[in-house]
Amino acid sequence: MTKMRTVDAIVAILKKEGATEAFGLPGAAINPFYSAMRNDGGIRHTLARHVEGASHMADGYTRAAPGNIGICVGTSGPAGTDMITGLYAAIADSVPILCITGQAPVAKLHKEDFQAVDIASIAKPVTKMAVTVLEPGQIPGTFARAFHEMRTGRPGPVLIDLPLDVQLAGIEFDIDLYEPLPVAKPAATRAQAERALDMLFASERPLIVAGGGVINANASEKLVELAEVLDVPVIPTLMGWGAIPDDHPLMAGMVGLQTSHRYGNESFLASDFVLGIGNRWANRHTGSIDKYTEGRTFVHVDIEPTQIGRVFSPDLGIVSDADAALTVLLEVAKERKEKFAVPDYGVWAKECIQRKGQLQRKTHFTEVPIKPQRVYEEMNSAFGQDVTFVSTIGLSQIAGGQFLHVYGPRKWINAGQAGPLGWTGPAALGVVRGKPGETVVALSGDYDFQFMIEELAVGAQFNLPYIHVVVNNSYLGLIRQSQRGFKMEQNVSLAFDNINSPETQGYGVDHLKVVEGLGCKAVRVTDPDKLQDAFSEANSLAQEHQVPVVVEVILEKVTNISMGTELDNVVEFEELAARGVDAPTAIALLD
């Protein structure tokens, strides 16, 4: 055995577990761990400007590629409390991140020492595991358990709190004897797969709903193969968007009250059977459960037992990893097709395709100020298929879900359930770390953008280039729209006359000056016909300077984006597409 500091053992364990990308801020109570990272050199650390930003960077990094686990590091007290929003976003979307905090010495934890907060208790509701390590000898076991928790069942974040004296203590440790704990994932049985397919084949208009669990399990190819073998259309959820490419004939559109397609909702309402794989039945996907379930039979497959029946009771529940379930479903489906006569769903699939060519929203508006729909149309043209979009919440994200196109897993990275404002920018930086050299495009409204705008300096300091599209209407647009039901418009305008930047014409904050002051580049667009040039310029600037580039688009101040309270009552506020030229970048041009 080798005698070493616990922090040196921790760094060795992180490397053995394959977690070598850290984001954070040093401080007195975590400096020993920083000294260990410095001495070893095997963990890359990105210095954030805010610990919440660091947690979102770790989140984005994890989501960027299979197997990634981002690390967020902070000192004692407020550093840990700053991480809570990041932990909430991660657990809500089943994202494993490891948060490490410093802490006061063990002997002072009960004496109201400086920045000695019980962060483990605070973090427990938003983590799979949160613990303060009280004995040096607990370090190896605690970290082994932490990685096991993050990878077992429904993935999620963990927080480990390290008192200063525990960090500095010596332990006998041999990294060669350390082995990651094995991860056993539940798998659907052949009998369960046969029963699920019996139920599917008994239906006339089946659908597969693919959730984020399919992407987490790296099972998108098997999902597409199953759909093709069965000739059954697929509805991805917002977290599962990209599990089947948007241009695949069996991609039937997204369903929901907000981030949905007209044709997706119509096809779902026409269905009579739903096989849900790795999804949560989130309320903005379902609307009311009575309407969503009426006239349909449901099979629900999820890795987490407590998810089965949490929202509504399916006709058959199967606890299984998505990849394992798809493997056995494929096996049984192929055998059935070879040996028996099975229903032909080709006519039903063609009906779903026809809806894509008939039920489009208009995007080609020419007005000035710019209507947001035109921005997404031009983004589709400018960035093509090989792009990763990053977004979080607001009318910008909802419209993005309605109009953008996603062509593969992990190419739509979105804070789904929590939706914290400010998540987009730092998460995009984490995605760039996880996808070096690839095209990353973030999408924000002006309020989301302003929340953690300081993190742009991180992109400038560490040369993390991406394009950040900011659609600026100087409003809290989603909240303003929701206030329509109260017949009010209260505390939602961000507009003011900027005495230092009259060129902003009453839109308030001069984002270009702020962005440039943080070491990045920025372009402002006021004419829809100049959007392509702006995106091209932004791409050139990002490549030349290797920094984030912001494209600020000045929108009309008030736009209501399509949404409703039920799948069959989504309100269309704008003119619908009547001809192909009305929606020129739609997946299926109008018939």
Side-chain angles (χ1 to χ4, degrees):
M1 289 286 186
T2 303
K3 184 82 168 181
M4 63 175 68
R5 296 182 306 167
T6 60
V7 287
D8 296 312
I10 291 169
V11 169
I13 291 169
L14 295 177
K15 290 166 59 181
K16 191 84 174 266
E17 295 279 3
T20 58
E21 198 76 46
F23 308 84
L25 284 79
I30 197 63
N31 271 339
F33 178 68
Y34 272 83
S35 74
M37 286 196 292
R38 180 180 183 275
N39 292 341
D40 182 89
I43 295 177
R44 180 166 59 178
H45 180 274
T46 301
L47 177 64
R49 295 301 190 270
H50 191 294
V51 186
E52 181 186 339
S55 67
H56 298 329
M57 291 175 201
D59 186 349
Y61 174 78
T62 295
R63 298 184 198 227
N68 281 4
I69 292 183
I71 305 168
C72 175
V73 187
T75 191
S76 57
T81 57
D82 284 343
M83 292 179 186
I84 296 301
T85 298
L87 289 166
Y88 168 38
I91 198 166
D93 289 345
S94 307
V95 177
I97 63 173
L98 173 61
C99 289
I100 298 174
T101 54
Q103 181 58 276
V106 172
K108 295 187 177 182
L109 291 180
H110 65 293
K111 296 182 177 180
E112 297 187 351
D113 205 45
F114 178 66
Q115 294 187 338
V117 66
D118 185 1
I119 190 60
S121 294
I122 294 170
K124 277 181 180 175
V126 288
T127 57
K128 292 191 72 178
M129 165 184 160
V131 61
T132 297
V133 181
L134 300 178
E135 295 287 345
Q138 295 175 338
I139 288 290
T142 299
F143 276 85
R145 179 184 158 214
F147 281 97
H148 186 261
E149 286 287 338
M150 286 187 282
R151 293 169 173 148
T152 301
R154 182 178 175 182
V158 163
L159 181 138
I160 299 178
D161 187 39
L162 300 173
L164 190 59
D165 52 336
V166 172
Q167 292 181 63
L168 291 168
I171 59 171
E172 296 285 344
F173 182 73
D174 187 342
I175 189 60
D176 292 332
L177 300 178
Y178 176 92
E179 290 295 335
L181 295 175
V183 176
K185 295 184 178 180
T189 66
R190 182 178 177 86
Q192 288 173 321
E194 289 176 342
R195 177 60 179 145
L197 289 174
D198 285 343
M199 295 168 69
L200 186 151
F201 288 140
S203 69
E204 296 179 359
R205 300 174 302 280
L207 290 172
I208 298 171
V209 169
V214 174
I215 294 175
N216 280 353
N218 204 28
S220 299
E221 289 184 5
K222 290 181 182 177
L223 168 79
V224 174
E225 186 180 359
L226 179 66
E228 291 173 345
V229 167
L230 299 173
D231 207 9
V232 169
V234 177
I235 298 281
T237 68
L238 185 64
M239 296 305 299
W241 196 10
I244 183 170
D246 271 10
D247 59 353
H248 193 287
L250 290 172
M251 200 291 201
M254 284 199 292
V255 168
L257 309 181
Q258 296 179 344
T259 52
S260 62
H261 303 110
R262 295 177 66 216
Y263 50 88
N265 280 1
E266 289 295 325
S267 289
F268 182 87
L269 290 169
S271 70
D272 62 357
F273 172 88
V274 177
L275 169 59
I277 304 177
N279 63 305
R280 294 188 300 108
W281 312 117
N283 67 306
R284 293 190 180 185
H285 165 79
T286 64
S288 73
I289 297 305
D290 289 345
K291 174 66 67 175
Y292 188 82
T293 58
E294 182 182 10
R296 289 170 204 90
T297 301
F298 287 85
V299 174
H300 188 198
V301 179
D302 199 273
I303 196 170
E304 172 55 48
T306 61
Q307 288 298 119
I308 307 294
R310 173 173 286 190
V311 178
F312 64 87
S313 296
D315 298 276
L316 174 64
I318 300 173
V319 177
S320 177
D321 169 70
D323 181 71
L326 286 164
T327 298
V328 68
L329 284 166
L330 262 172
E331 178 184 313
V332 175
K334 288 177 179 178
E335 289 180 9
R336 293 277 183 95
K337 290 197 72 172
E338 288 177 2
K339 298 178 180 179
F340 308 105
V342 299
D344 182 354
Y345 294 114
V347 172
W348 161 242
K350 287 178 182 177
E351 289 176 10
C352 294
I353 293 173
Q354 288 172 350
R355 291 186 188 94
K356 292 172 77 170
Q358 296 168 349
L359 301 173
Q360 297 286 349
R361 296 181 174 112
K362 182 175 179 178
T363 60
H364 196 74
F365 294 94
T366 58
E367 287 88 339
V368 177
I370 300 170
K371 294 186 79 66
Q373 294 87 345
R374 178 68 180 274
V375 181
Y376 308 111
E377 173 189 311
E378 300 293 344
M379 288 173 70
N380 287 329
S381 294
F383 302 120
Q385 296 191 11
D386 193 19
V387 59
T388 298
F389 291 115
V390 183
S391 191
T392 181
I393 196 172
L395 288 185
S396 55
Q397 175 248 19
I398 292 168
Q402 294 177 12
F403 298 113
L404 292 176
H405 304 314
V406 177
Y407 296 95
R410 302 182 189 273
K411 290 185 176 294
W412 170 260
I413 294 179
N414 177 86
Q417 189 197 82
L421 285 164
W423 182 90
T424 307
L429 294 169
V431 172
V432 174
R433 277 293 197 215
K435 292 190 171 189
E438 297 189 28
T439 301
V440 176
V441 177
L443 170 64
S444 291
D446 44 308
Y447 204 45
D448 171 47
F449 182 62
Q450 288 176 21
F451 253 60
M452 303 206 78
I453 196 170
E454 77 283 346
E455 302 305 320
L456 284 172
V458 177
Q461 180 177 356
F462 292 94
N463 297 122
L464 302 173
Y466 75 96
I467 296 172
H468 202 136
V469 179
V470 178
V471 284
N472 181 7
N473 64 351
S474 70
Y475 258 103
L476 309 185
L478 178 58
I479 307 307
R480 180 207 55 75
Q481 186 167 333
S482 71
Q483 288 183 352
R484 295 174 73 251
F486 297 94
K487 295 182 172 57
M488 70 176 186
E489 185 179 297
Q490 185 67 31
N491 305 123
V492 290
S493 175
L494 301 172
F496 61 91
D497 290 321
N498 190 328
I499 59 173
N500 299 307
S501 300
E503 64 271 23
T504 58
Q505 299 183 31
Y507 274 67
V509 173
D510 189 336
H511 294 118
L512 267 64
K513 287 181 179 177
V514 177
V515 168
E516 290 172 352
L518 290 166
C520 302
K521 291 289 186 178
V523 180
R524 180 178 288 137
V525 189
T526 58
D527 182 344
D529 292 332
K530 299 293 178 61
L531 283 165
Q532 283 298 314
D533 290 341
F535 293 140
S536 178
E537 181 183 358
N539 186 61
S540 296
L541 289 169
Q543 295 304 311
E544 178 184 357
H545 299 286
Q546 293 293 294
V547 299
V549 179
V550 173
V551 179
E552 181 190 42
V553 184
I554 303 301
L555 300 184
E556 61 183 7
K557 290 190 174 181
V558 175
T559 303
N560 293 311
I561 299 297
S562 305
M563 64 182 73
T565 58
E566 295 285 0
L567 299 186
D568 62 352
N569 75 357
V570 172
V571 179
E572 302 293 342
F573 294 95
E574 299 288 348
E575 179 183 353
L576 296 172
R579 303 169 299 159
V581 293
D582 292 335
T585 63
I587 285 293
L589 292 179
L590 285 164
D591 295 339

